[in-house]
């Protein structure tokens, strides 16, 4: 892919209303600051805690997709399949995002060899990484993955 003209932030949620203000607020801000159009979509796995109403009322620009049943992470398969954006970024509802986190991810897609990328994950106060950079490669039809602890930030 040489040009990313559209992106979608998919936030998976199930009964996470207590997280949605931080999560959706920061996702909407990150979408606003991205270099190309970014849709923010809450994928709700049949919440019963008011998550859907909260998201619709407080974040009217966020698309809400309610899955037919709580199918955990697998609920994203059908949603991703129907999206038309060039890149889909999958997120959890218990995260908050740096306002500029989208652009550095998209830069990697200028390389046609890149299939997927991941963002740095920091502790809640942002002071240190919780995991190292994940790397993967296919060599001779074998999939290899490892953690690059040398480049933690």
């Amino acid at each position: 892919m040489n040009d990313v003209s559209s992106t979608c932030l998919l936030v998976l949620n199930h009964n996470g209303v207590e997280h949605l203000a931080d999560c959706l607020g920061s996702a909407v801000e990150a979408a606003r600051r991205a270099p190309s159009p970014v849709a923010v979509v809450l994928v709700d796995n049949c919440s019963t805690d008011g998550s859907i109403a909260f998201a619709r009322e407080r974040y009217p620009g966020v698309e809400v997709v309610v899955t037919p049943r709580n199918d955990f992470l697998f609920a994203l398969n059908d949603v991703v399949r129907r999206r038309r954006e060039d890149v889909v970024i999958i997120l959890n509802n218990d995260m908050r995002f740096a306002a500029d986190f989208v652009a550095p991810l998209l830069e990697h897609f200028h390389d046609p060899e890149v299939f997927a990328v991941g963002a740095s994950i920091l502790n809640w106060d942002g002071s240190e990484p919780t995991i190292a950079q994940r790397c993967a490669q296919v060599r001779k039809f074998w999939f290899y993955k490892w953690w690059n602890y040398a480049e933690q930030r």
Side-chain angles (χ1 to χ4, degrees), residues 6 11 39 45 57 82 108:
S6 61
V11 177
N45 269 336
E57 180 180 311
R82 289 192 309 263
H108 294 281

Side-chain angles (χ1 to χ4, degrees), residues 1-87:
M1 173 181 303
N2 293 329
D3 183 38
V4 176
S5 60
S6 61
T7 305
C8 178
L9 303 180
L10 287 184
V11 177
L12 185 62
N13 181 67
H14 175 72
N15 288 340
V17 71
E18 71 272 12
H19 301 297
L20 292 181
D22 280 328
C23 177
L24 293 179
S26 62
V28 166
E29 179 62 17
R32 187 183 71 74
R33 292 190 185 198
S36 58
V38 176
V40 179
V41 180
L42 181 71
V43 179
D44 190 87
N45 269 336
C46 303
S47 291
T48 58
D49 69 345
S51 289
I52 298 165
F54 176 87
R56 287 181 173 152
E57 180 180 311
R58 187 113 178 248
Y59 300 96
V62 171
E63 180 182 344
V64 177
V65 174
V66 181
T67 61
R69 66 184 183 286
N70 183 355
D71 206 8
F72 306 99
L73 183 63
F74 301 107
L76 293 172
N77 290 340
D78 287 335
V79 177
V80 170
R81 192 176 297 116
R82 289 192 309 263
R83 299 308 302 184
R84 295 294 165 235
E85 291 84 3
D86 297 318
V87 172

Side-chain angles (χ1 to χ4, degrees), residues 111-131:
D111 180 346
E113 302 266 325
V114 170
F115 168 76
V117 298
S120 296
I121 299 175
L122 307 176
N123 61 3
W124 192 251
D125 67 11
S127 62
E128 59 185 75
T130 59
I131 61 168

Side-chain angles (χ1 to χ4, degrees), residues 78-153:
D78 287 335
V79 177
V80 170
R81 192 176 297 116
R82 289 192 309 263
R83 299 308 302 184
R84 295 294 165 235
E85 291 84 3
D86 297 318
V87 172
V88 174
I89 300 173
I90 297 174
L91 308 165
N92 288 335
N93 66 346
D94 61 348
M95 304 171 94
R96 64 180 174 205
F97 314 101
D100 61 348
F101 96 98
V102 175
L105 296 177
L106 299 181
E107 289 174 13
H108 294 281
F109 290 100
H110 295 297
D111 180 346
E113 302 266 325
V114 170
F115 168 76
V117 298
S120 296
I121 299 175
L122 307 176
N123 61 3
W124 192 251
D125 67 11
S127 62
E128 59 185 75
T130 59
I131 61 168
Q133 180 184 23
R134 293 169 283 198
C135 302
Q137 184 179 51
V138 177
R139 289 187 308 232
K140 297 183 181 179
F141 304 105
W142 286 90
F143 182 75
Y144 297 92
K145 64 180 183 167
W146 65 95
W147 300 96
N148 184 357
Y149 290 98
E151 295 183 32
Q152 293 244 339
R153 281 204 158 219

